Amino acid sequence: MKKHNFYAGPSILPAYTIENTAKGILELDNTGLSVMEISHRSKEFMDIMEQAQSLIKELLDVPQGYHVLFLGGGASMQFCMVPYNLFQKKAAYLNTGSWASKALKEAAVFGEAVEVASSRDRNFSYIPRGYELPADADYFHITTNNTIYGTEIREDLDVPMTLVADMSSDILSRPMDVSKYGIIYGGAQKNLAPSGVAVVIIREDILGKVDRSIPSMLDYRIHIEHKSMFNTPPVVPIYAALQTLRWLRDLGGVSVMERINIEKAALLYDEIDRNPMFRCTVEDEQDRSRMNICFVMTDAHQEREADFLEFASSRGMVGIKGHRSVGGFRASTYNALPRESVLALVETMKEFEKK
Ligand code: PMP
């Protein structure tokens, strides 16, 4: 039976990525060697790294003055690298969920990390607005897509300080104005590649302003200077990322991707709103994520949650159980998820209603 993969991460990747990565693992471009067994300093791998970096720049229209890095340690490593490199007196954080809270906790190790607003009062089901930023903060950190609670900030905010964004679960899902950000980072395992690498897009002129000495592996300047090759980078995830980037470019880039993502998300949200058995946990439409769609059973049908999961599983749906802090269901509709899988889930919800 065909599986419809709604996992939140690691998650579905384009067949193109999986097939080409598998080929490269068997033999990289007639070299007689696997991509896993060539030196990261070989011409072949240097080309892979350069192509991946330049495709990110091309797809997101990254302006001059920015660098693209592929670093180990996942997005969680960035929670500490950001303050290590930018925190001087104070930092501002918008707390929109568990990942944002974790980022904030790491910044607090360095001093005053101000939570400028939080949506914790309603289980992170909305994006706070109308908050004030401390004028003396060194940077403002946001989590653009809240993977667990299904909210998303799609506006490229204008703020009077360096803007830092964790885009782990929505990077490359839409066109964006990179010039508004000092740092954009994300773990690869949603829209890009298998886990093991984080992509970092960084404006060089924000660096070198803190007094502390920074261990080499945590210093963005060292990674920039060594073109992301200061130590042995995660070569297979980077090779896979290159395949996904090519797939995205050939599809027409992030504008086309955004159109597809809008359509997919609308199909599912419309069914959740229409079907009397289900309710979306994010009420305000402008806050609803296009990448992680969270919903629960309505009060009258609470006891049918396990039944629906079983029914959906019998129809090939995988990974729709909601995160334990929200309950219910979460369908992750990342770039690689085909529209056909969303339609299959919608159909499953309709059939369950009839049943
Ligand atoms: N930020 C967000 C928004 C995430 O969704 C995740 C992982 N699901 C992380 C950070 C942590 O990423 P990693 O596991 O790569 O450290």
Side-chain angles (χ1 to χ4, degrees), residues 80-91 110 137-139 162 183 204-215 218-221:
C80 94
M81 275 180 85
V82 165
Y84 233 124
N85 286 265
L86 302 187
F87 193 114
Q88 186 69 356
K89 310 177 291 295
K90 191 185 278 188
F110 295 81
D138 301 308
Y139 65 91
T162 298
I183 299 180
E204 193 167 7
D205 70 6
I206 62 173
L207 298 172
K209 299 190 173 152
V210 292
D211 298 330
R212 75 180 59 84
S213 48
I214 305 175
L218 300 179
D219 190 336
Y220 289 121
R221 286 171 308 175

Side-chain angles (χ1 to χ4, degrees), residues 147-158:
T147 321
I148 294 178
Y149 301 87
T151 59
E152 187 175 10
I153 303 170
R154 277 185 292 271
E155 188 192 351
D156 299 313
L157 303 177
D158 259 316

Side-chain angles (χ1 to χ4, degrees), residues 70-303:
F70 287 100
L71 304 178
S76 302
M77 181 67 97
Q78 299 308 310
F79 294 168
C80 94
M81 275 180 85
V82 165
Y84 233 124
N85 286 265
L86 302 187
F87 193 114
Q88 186 69 356
K89 310 177 291 295
K90 191 185 278 188
Y93 278 71
L94 184 64
N95 191 354
T96 49
S98 311
W99 297 111
S101 306
K102 287 185 179 161
L104 173 65
K105 183 169 169 240
E106 295 301 302
V109 170
F110 295 81
E112 192 182 352
V114 182
E115 182 184 84
V116 294
S118 165
S119 45
R120 194 188 286 106
D121 59 339
R122 280 168 29 216
N123 204 25
F124 297 116
S125 61
Y126 66 100
I127 300 292
R129 290 188 170 73
Y131 45 83
E132 270 182 34
L133 293 173
D136 56 347
D138 301 308
Y139 65 91
F140 175 42
H141 181 283
I142 58 172
T143 309
T144 50
N145 187 68
N146 185 353
T147 321
I148 294 178
Y149 301 87
T151 59
E152 187 175 10
I153 303 170
R154 277 185 292 271
E155 188 192 351
D156 299 313
L157 303 177
D158 259 316
V159 294
M161 59 202 53
T162 298
L163 181 61
V164 177
D166 173 0
M167 293 200 177
S168 293
S169 46
D170 62 345
I171 195 160
L172 295 160
S173 68
R174 63 170 174 88
M176 57 180 296
D177 183 354
V178 174
S179 73
K180 297 271 177 71
Y181 301 83
I183 299 180
I184 293 164
Y185 67 86
Q189 63 270 24
K190 288 102 168 46
N191 269 343
L192 201 55
S195 59
V197 70
V199 63
V200 179
I201 304 169
I202 184 162
R203 205 174 71 225
E204 193 167 7
D205 70 6
I206 62 173
L207 298 172
K209 299 190 173 152
V210 292
D211 298 330
R212 75 180 59 84
S213 48
I214 305 175
S216 305
M217 273 297 282
L218 300 179
D219 190 336
Y220 289 121
R221 286 171 308 175
I222 299 269
H223 290 291
I224 290 171
E225 187 192 327
H226 292 269
K227 299 188 163 50
S228 232
M229 296 271 202
F230 173 66
N231 72 322
T232 318
V235 292
V236 174
I238 294 169
Y239 185 67
L242 174 60
Q243 310 312 316
T244 305
L245 293 164
R246 286 179 177 155
W247 168 83
L248 186 51
R249 178 198 56 198
D250 294 349
L251 192 87
V254 285
S255 319
V256 173
M257 195 74 255
E258 179 183 45
R259 228 175 34 237
I260 298 172
N261 287 333
I262 290 173
E263 278 176 29
K264 286 189 301 189
L267 281 169
L268 187 49
Y269 281 120
D270 285 352
E271 175 59 16
I272 296 166
D273 290 342
R274 183 210 64 79
N275 193 319
M277 300 196 77
F278 301 99
R279 173 177 66 77
C280 183
T281 52
V282 180
E283 280 167 24
D284 198 335
E285 284 185 24
Q286 65 175 334
D287 294 345
R288 287 179 173 180
S289 169
R290 289 181 194 146
M291 298 283 107
N292 308 98
I293 300 181
C294 295
F295 55 108
V296 290
M297 308 265 16
T298 43
D299 289 347
H301 301 284
Q302 281 302 335
E303 76 290 356

